[in-house]
Amino acid sequence: MLFDEVTTLIEEHTRDELEEQLTELKEEQEAVASEFDASSLEEFREQLAEEELSASELRERRNVIATWEAVNTELALVKHALHLYGDVVELTSPKNNSSSSFA
């Protein structure tokens, strides 16, 4: 499943687009960290348990956790795609006469 997602990213985006997406995701991650004064998702979760928060604030924080997790997942996928970009493009190019396929 991971390989399918990574190869889809590579097939649908240029290396430059993936690098731009990586930058945007990192900026989003940093903005959330700055807004809630936490350097990582783990630290943010610790704050959740340590602070006295209302039910509304807890719901908001849970939404932030979900967003942060999604951003972390996307960051990992884009990093994998960038790391494997050259290899996947080479292996799936029409000039490659290999009988294997990534379908």
Side-chain angles (χ1 to χ4, degrees):
M1 190 162 114
L2 172 67
F3 187 74
D4 289 342
E5 290 187 42
V6 169
T7 54
T8 298
L9 279 172
I10 292 168
E11 290 169 354
E12 294 178 355
H13 301 282
T14 65
R15 184 183 298 268
D16 287 342
E17 289 170 339
L18 289 171
E19 289 169 352
E20 180 62 30
Q21 189 174 2
L22 181 67
T23 302
E24 291 170 3
L25 288 165
K26 194 64 178 169
E27 287 171 347
E28 185 176 352
Q29 184 186 56
E30 290 171 357
V32 171
S34 176
E35 180 180 346
F36 291 95
D37 195 30
S39 61
S40 67
L41 179 55
E42 292 74 27
E43 183 180 330
F44 183 72
R45 285 187 162 163
E46 287 175 17
Q47 290 176 2
L48 187 69
E50 294 170 359
E51 296 179 13
E52 290 295 322
L53 302 170
S54 68
S56 174
E57 291 170 321
L58 286 170
R59 274 192 292 282
E60 177 187 355
R61 297 276 178 118
R62 289 292 303 143
N63 288 338
V64 170
I65 288 170
T67 299
W68 203 326
E69 287 173 336
V71 168
N72 286 350
T73 299
E74 285 297 314
L75 269 168
L77 288 171
V78 171
K79 286 179 180 181
H80 286 306
L82 284 168
H83 181 71
L84 298 172
Y85 195 89
D87 293 334
V88 171
V89 168
E90 182 180 325
L91 289 171
T92 60
S93 71
K95 70 179 180 182
N96 187 345
N97 292 329
S98 174
S99 60
S100 65
S101 172
F102 291 108

